[in-house]
Amino acid sequence: MAESVRLYVAAPASVSVIQCSPPSWMAQIVLAEKSVAGEVIELDFGRGDHKTPELLTKNPRGTIPILCHGERVIHETLAVLEYLESAFPQPPLMPRDLDGLARGLSRLHESAALKDAGMALFAYLMRTPVAVRDAARLADLVGALRRELDCWERHYTGVEWAVGSSLTLPDVVVFTYLATAHQLGLDLARRWPALQAFSERMSTRASVRSTLSSTWQTRREDLAGFG
Ligand SMILES: N[C@@H](CCC(=O)N[C@@H](CS)C(=O)NCC(=O)O)C(=O)O
């Protein structure tokens, strides 16, 4: 009998301002790409559901996503993605040949820098009401994200995917931050046209459409003017 798959994620509506957890979303996209029929358990962040004794047993750091596959527990987003790739190899989301894998793993772990810059900025927006946001602090955080986007713009210029000729895990990571920044008002088109085109391509995928935060109805303006 197949082992059960449970993915603990943040309930989008419970993540203030951002209304999405990019790390949760990328794990959900990978499950959808691989047609894995797992149970997705949405935790209410506002209520602290991710810090209960039960969840802290699974991940003492109290962060999501957390994947449970049978008795196995995997936390840390990139570990979750790599585990899913090993446990559910079809369709492949990483190159199988060593040359491609070398590039794919490098890009995947490099994407942690974008993830860190995005999370730092989003955490500030979440925790700081608009009226008391410090312009210099916000500019610093946006600056770090812009430097990352500049770097990824070079990677995607002239190519459709981060590595090879089809979607791989680093694409999923990068996309969730582009989409979240866009939802928060960042205009990609002027300074990062390759990322804008990549983001539009990703937005049409069934895996993205089926997992998109249902609370993203109206685009916000937190990052408007920073593009
Ligand atoms: N290093 C962790 C960080 C993930 C992360 O920051 N998740 C956020 C949700 S987007 C979280 O759980 N925040 C709750 C907290 O930090 O208390 C990973 O890569 O999985």
Side-chain angles (χ1 to χ4, degrees), residues 65-115:
I66 301 170
L67 177 74
C68 298
H69 184 208
E71 297 297 309
R72 281 169 232 114
V73 179
I74 307 98
H75 61 86
E76 289 303 306
T77 313
L78 296 186
V80 168
L81 301 192
E82 286 191 65
Y83 179 87
L84 287 172
E85 181 61 15
S86 296
F88 304 98
Q90 295 303 327
L93 291 181
M94 285 297 270
R96 292 288 186 254
D97 66 291
L98 285 182
D99 290 342
L101 187 62
R103 288 195 300 277
L105 285 173
S106 300
R107 284 284 183 266
L108 178 61
H109 287 266
E110 185 184 347
S111 72
L114 173 62
K115 180 169 165 292

Side-chain angles (χ1 to χ4, degrees), residues 11-227:
S14 74
V15 183
S16 62
V17 177
I18 316 299
Q19 302 277 291
C20 171
S21 153
S24 301
W25 191 17
M26 60 186 88
Q28 290 178 265
I29 292 174
V30 170
L31 283 182
E33 286 286 339
K34 291 178 175 290
S35 303
V36 175
E39 182 188 2
V40 175
I41 301 157
E42 292 195 344
L43 304 172
D44 187 317
F45 259 37
R47 220 167 45 196
D49 285 1
H50 54 309
K51 307 282 188 193
T52 61
E54 187 209 338
L55 266 293
L56 290 175
T57 309
K58 299 186 195 309
N59 175 7
R61 289 183 183 264
T63 59
I64 49 85
I66 301 170
L67 177 74
C68 298
H69 184 208
E71 297 297 309
R72 281 169 232 114
V73 179
I74 307 98
H75 61 86
E76 289 303 306
T77 313
L78 296 186
V80 168
L81 301 192
E82 286 191 65
Y83 179 87
L84 287 172
E85 181 61 15
S86 296
F88 304 98
Q90 295 303 327
L93 291 181
M94 285 297 270
R96 292 288 186 254
D97 66 291
L98 285 182
D99 290 342
L101 187 62
R103 288 195 300 277
L105 285 173
S106 300
R107 284 284 183 266
L108 178 61
H109 287 266
E110 185 184 347
S111 72
L114 173 62
K115 180 169 165 292
D116 289 349
M119 292 309 279
L121 171 60
F122 301 159
Y124 181 75
L125 297 178
M126 273 173 67
R127 291 173 192 153
T128 319
V130 177
V132 294
R133 283 181 193 161
D134 178 67
R137 175 87 183 116
L138 186 57
D140 274 356
L141 291 165
V142 175
L145 180 67
R146 287 166 60 103
R147 282 191 294 280
E148 274 303 313
L149 295 178
D150 289 348
C151 180
W152 289 95
E153 174 70 15
R154 289 192 291 277
H155 290 335
Y156 281 92
T157 297
V159 297
E160 283 202 18
W161 305 106
V163 178
S165 57
S166 60
L167 177 82
T168 56
L169 296 178
D171 294 311
V172 178
V173 177
V174 171
F175 168 70
T176 60
Y177 287 94
L178 299 181
T180 306
H182 175 269
Q183 164 61 19
L184 292 168
L186 188 70
D187 177 27
L188 291 173
R190 193 185 58 83
R191 186 176 166 117
W192 304 287
L195 293 181
Q196 166 77 19
F198 163 68
S199 191
E200 283 170 8
R201 275 197 303 283
M202 284 295 292
S203 299
T204 64
R205 291 184 84 88
S207 63
V208 168
R209 295 160 73 100
S210 65
T211 54
L212 189 67
S213 171
S214 57
T215 55
W216 279 3
Q217 303 295 346
T218 311
R219 204 170 159 208
R220 293 182 57 100
E221 295 191 344
D222 306 71
L223 301 180
F226 283 111

